[in-house]
Amino acid sequence: MSNIIRIILSSFLLIGTVALFWFGHWGWGILGIFITILAWVTVFFNENMLIAQWYLRKENMVKAEQWLRNIKNYEKQLISAQHGYYHMLLGILESQRAPLQSEKYFKKALSLGLHMSHNIALAKLSLAGVAMAKRNKREAEKLLAEAKKADKNKLLADQIKMMKNQMGMMDKQQFRYSR
């Protein structure tokens, strides 16, 4: 459903709730407040995205993908602040199947904009992993440094450290084969 239709329906619900209070139906008016709040929340946070994120936390990738696929035209169904997060979720799902194919989703997510620093760090860390898989050490180091800088709360510190260790092992492996 388009956001314009959601806004119109939410506005009608708000008007109906005010009318319920005006005519003295306090019980129905209070219920109307909760329904109106829920309708306005779905304008700013798409229910398909919320349910897909919940399934991702439960590590049920199949159901998360089903809910993300319910979003047919993300430009109309999501507000512009959610476009980057939509592509990031697609990138996370794609990285489970084909890690090298997920690069385009993470790059698109970063270009559209992510607002939380730990999400930016996650996207750059994933891109660093793709760069390592492509044997592009310089780009991987640059992305790891950017991910470390963006990870202000140190949520991904262990993963960044592990990725650096893997890069060190990659150097040793190349040295061994170059002899």
Side-chain angles (χ1 to χ4, degrees):
M1 179 181 321
S2 172
N3 265 344
I4 295 171
I5 295 171
R6 288 176 197 265
I7 291 171
I8 292 169
L9 288 175
S10 299
S11 300
F12 282 134
L13 281 172
L14 180 65
I15 291 168
T17 301
V18 169
L20 285 171
F21 280 117
W22 182 266
F23 292 118
H25 299 287
W26 289 92
W28 290 109
I30 292 171
L31 179 66
I33 287 174
F34 291 125
I35 293 172
T36 303
I37 289 172
L38 182 66
W40 277 105
V41 165
T42 63
V43 170
F44 299 106
F45 302 103
N46 188 289
E47 68 276 1
N48 293 322
M49 290 274 291
L50 292 173
I51 295 171
Q53 288 173 355
W54 186 74
Y55 278 121
L56 275 174
R57 286 189 192 111
K58 296 286 184 179
E59 297 180 8
N60 190 345
M61 301 299 177
V62 175
K63 292 228 179 189
E65 185 175 8
Q66 287 174 351
W67 282 100
L68 275 180
R69 298 293 176 207
N70 286 340
I71 300 172
K72 302 295 182 206
N73 187 355
Y74 74 92
E75 292 173 338
K76 287 185 179 179
Q77 288 181 288
L78 305 175
I79 60 173
S80 60
Q82 285 187 320
H83 291 179
Y85 290 100
Y86 173 72
H87 286 285
M88 188 170 118
L89 290 176
L90 287 176
I92 290 170
L93 290 173
E94 189 67 29
S95 68
Q96 298 295 318
R97 284 189 301 249
L100 296 178
Q101 301 299 320
S102 66
E103 180 181 19
K104 63 182 176 184
Y105 293 115
F106 288 120
K107 283 185 176 180
K108 180 104 177 188
L110 287 171
S111 69
L112 289 173
L114 299 170
H115 300 290
M116 293 186 217
S117 62
H118 62 272
N119 289 331
I120 294 170
L122 176 65
K124 290 191 178 191
L125 182 67
S126 299
L127 284 172
V130 171
M132 276 180 52
K134 289 182 174 181
R135 299 282 191 205
N136 190 348
K137 185 181 176 199
R138 184 174 297 149
E139 183 180 354
E141 286 175 342
K142 182 185 84 154
L143 287 166
L144 272 177
E146 290 175 4
K148 188 173 183 178
K149 183 179 173 187
D151 188 26
K152 295 176 182 154
N153 295 330
K154 307 298 181 214
L155 295 173
L156 298 170
D158 293 337
Q159 286 85 356
I160 292 172
K161 186 177 178 182
M162 184 174 56
M163 188 85 71
K164 284 185 180 180
N165 289 340
Q166 288 176 351
M167 283 178 48
M169 293 171 74
M170 190 170 76
D171 288 339
K172 290 177 187 175
Q173 195 176 38
Q174 285 178 349
F175 180 73
R176 184 173 26 164
Y177 290 124
S178 65
R179 288 185 188 189

